[in-house]
Amino acid sequence: MQLLQNVSLKPYNTFGIDIPAAHFIEVSSVDMLPAVTDATAGMHRRVLGGGSNVLLTQPVTGAVIYNNIKGIHKDKEDDNHVWLTVNAGEVWHSFVMYAIANGWAGVENLALIPGTVGAAPIQNIGAYGIEAKETIESVTAWHWEDKRFYTYSNFECTFGYRDSIFKHQLKDKVFITSVTFKLNKKPSFNTTYGAIEQELHKMGITELSIQAIADAVIAIRTSKLPDPKQIGNAGSFFKNPTIPIAQFNNLKQQHPNIPSYPVDAQTIKVPAGWLIEQCGWKGYRRGDTGVHEKQALVLVNYGHAIGSEVWQLSGDILQSVEDKFGIVLEREVQVW
Ligand SMILES: Cc1cc2nc3c(=O)[nH]c(=O)nc-3n(C[C@H](O)[C@H](O)[C@H](O)COP(=O)(O)OP(=O)(O)OC[C@H]3O[C@@H](n4cnc5c(N)ncnc54)[C@H](O)[C@@H]3O)c2cc1C
C-alpha cells in the first residue's frame, strides 16, 4: 500500500481538469481497507472511480481513494435469473458486455456509460428507459468510521432519479466495494425509449436480442455524445427537472413546443437540454470551456479549462434558465 502525496488528478477525471490531491492511494483489494483507513485517519476521504461524474474545482486537501478492485463472481442462478457480485473497480461497460456475452439481460440499455460498477448505484445510472436500480439486488460497502462492511438492500439504497442514499446520509462515509445484480435469463426487451427502434431499423436488425439493443445504444451514444478522450466532459451536467403539472401548463402557453415526459399525476419531467438550448447556450464557448455544440446538457473542456470556470459557466446557465422559465436546475455532476 502506497500513500502518495500531491498527485495530479488530470488522468483520473474525464473533464481532464488538472488539480492535485494532497494524498492519493490506490485500493486493489478489500483486504487493504483496514490499513487504508488507518493510514488516512483524520483526512476527508473521497473515493474516485472513473472520474466521469466529478468536477474538480479546487485542490483536494484530503485523501483520494482510487478504486481498482476487480472481479466478477456468480453467486447463484435459477431457471429465470442469475445473481452476480461485481467488484466496484470493474469498468461498467465491460460488465455490460460480459453480461451480454453470457446471455444475461437487464443492463444492455446501459451500454457505454463510462465509469465503474461501484459508482453505478451512487446516482442510479440510467439511460434509454432503464435505471441501474432495476437490476441491483444489494450494495456492499466499507464504512470508514465503523471500520466494517455493510450490505444495503435495494430498498435501503433509496434509489431515485439519479439519486440514492450514497449521495446523502452516506456521502463520503463509505467505499462501495461490490454490487450484486440480478439479471434475467429470459429477457424482456425495452426498445421504446429514444431512437432505439429507429436505430435497430437502420442497422437492419429483424431479430431482437440484447446484443442488438446494446449495439443500437452504442451507435446512438457514439453519434450524440462527445468522447471524453477527444473533448473533456462528464456527460449530462444537469438533471432533467421535475415540475408541478400546473407550472408546466403555464409554461406550455408561452412555449407551445416545450417537450415533456410524464412522471406521475402531479409532476412532469422537462428535458434540461431543451431549456438550456432555448436560453441560447448550445455551442457557446468561453475561453476553454463551453456547452457542447450537439448536446446542450454537456459542458466541455476544450483543453485547459479550470474547474472554477466550468463551475461559473454552469452557474450562469442555471441562472438564465431560472430567469426565463422559473425552473431551478440541479447539477448532476459531483462537485469537489
Ligand atoms: C460521456 C459521458 C456519458 C455519460 N452518460 C451517462 C448516462 O447515460 N447515464 C448516467 O447515469 N450517467 C452518465 N454519465 C455519468 C457517469 O458515467 C456515471 O455517473 C458513472 O456512474 C460515474 O462513474 P465513475 O466511476 O466515473 O464515478 P466517479 O466520477 O469516479 O465518482 C462519482 C461520485 O461517486 C463517488 N464514488 C465513485 N465510486 C465510489 C465508490 N466505489 N464508493 C463510494 N463512492 C464512490 C465519488 O466520490 C464521486 O462523488 C456519463 C458520463 C460521461 C463522461
Side-chain angles (χ1 to χ4, degrees):
M1 184 188 75
Q2 241 189 325
L3 183 61
L4 305 171
Q5 320 291 330
N6 200 26
V7 172
S8 167
L9 295 179
K10 190 169 162 63
Y12 298 99
N13 72 100
T14 60
F15 250 123
I17 306 282
D18 193 3
I19 287 260
H23 308 275
F24 183 96
I25 192 161
E26 179 172 336
V27 175
S28 54
S29 150
V30 289
D31 300 337
M32 293 169 67
L33 285 168
V36 169
T37 309
D38 291 343
T40 55
M43 299 178 192
H44 182 170
R45 304 177 185 96
R46 288 184 166 108
V47 181
L48 190 63
S52 64
N53 202 28
V54 289
L55 174 65
L56 308 175
T57 57
Q58 54 192 319
V60 181
T61 50
V64 168
I65 321 288
Y66 178 59
N67 164 25
N68 196 19
I69 307 176
K70 304 279 192 196
I72 300 183
H73 180 258
K74 192 207 278 183
D75 300 330
K76 58 177 181 178
E77 63 184 311
D78 62 20
D79 288 348
N80 297 316
H81 297 106
V82 58
W83 284 260
L84 297 177
T85 292
V86 184
N87 285 338
E90 287 289 336
V91 171
W92 173 264
H93 180 66
S94 307
F95 160 58
V96 172
M97 290 296 108
Y98 171 83
I100 290 171
N102 283 283
W104 299 326
V107 287
E108 58 281 359
N109 291 45
L110 304 178
L112 215 61
I113 296 182
T116 53
V117 166
I122 294 188
Q123 73 154 0
N124 177 25
I125 55 170
Y128 297 97
I130 295 285
E131 288 182 322
K133 71 170 184 186
E134 290 162 52
T135 50
I136 292 177
E137 185 88 341
S138 63
V139 173
T140 298
W142 172 258
H143 196 291
W144 295 116
E145 218 167 278
D146 294 358
K147 297 190 187 182
R148 53 161 285 199
F149 291 97
Y150 289 92
T151 294
Y152 303 92
S153 68
N154 178 297
F155 177 76
E156 287 168 324
C157 291
T158 55
F159 290 122
Y161 164 60
R162 300 293 180 276
D163 206 17
S164 74
I165 192 170
F166 305 107
K167 277 180 141 183
H168 301 281
Q169 291 98 308
L170 294 178
K171 187 176 164 67
D172 292 341
K173 296 226 174 347
V174 296
F175 180 151
I176 294 174
T177 50
S178 66
V179 182
T180 299
F181 295 89
K182 181 183 173 186
L183 301 179
N184 297 310
K185 288 179 167 176
K186 297 172 183 160
S188 62
F189 303 118
N190 185 337
T191 59
T192 52
Y193 198 91
I196 297 186
E197 268 167 12
Q198 263 167 278
E199 190 63 38
L200 288 166
H201 184 69
K202 207 165 93 186
M203 292 162 74
I205 303 289
T206 45
E207 204 174 323
L208 212 48
S209 67
I210 52 176
Q211 180 69 60
I213 292 179
D215 289 346
V217 167
I218 290 168
I220 301 167
R221 292 183 69 98
T222 310
S223 70
K224 271 177 55 177
L225 287 170
D227 178 355
K229 289 194 191 95
Q230 319 276 322
I231 309 174
N233 76 90
S236 303
F237 199 92
F238 300 97
K239 289 185 180 185
N240 291 318
T242 300
I243 61 172
I245 287 187
Q247 184 185 3
F248 177 77
N249 289 338
N250 278 339
L251 284 171
K252 191 146 178 84
Q253 284 178 359
Q254 299 154 47
H255 309 278
N257 297 332
I258 185 168
S260 63
Y261 305 98
V263 176
D264 54 38
Q266 286 85 38
T267 57
I268 202 158
K269 201 179 274 182
V270 180
W274 185 86
L275 298 169
I276 296 167
E277 200 176 334
Q278 297 307 302
C279 293
W281 290 106
K282 197 174 180 181
Y284 172 86
R285 182 165 178 168
R286 184 189 288 171
D288 252 0
T289 186
V291 179
H292 193 252
E293 57 190 10
K294 283 197 207 157
Q295 176 50 270
L297 205 47
V298 177
L299 303 195
V300 294
N301 172 11
Y302 287 106
H304 298 98
I306 56 173
S308 56
E309 291 168 338
V310 182
W311 168 260
Q312 179 64 49
L313 175 61
S314 72
D316 294 347
I317 292 171
L318 242 149
Q319 190 59 56
S320 71
V321 169
E322 187 177 357
D323 292 346
K324 192 171 170 76
F325 296 102
I327 295 176
V328 182
L329 292 181
E330 195 186 328
R331 292 176 181 89
E332 180 180 310
V333 167
Q334 299 294 299
V335 180
W336 284 15

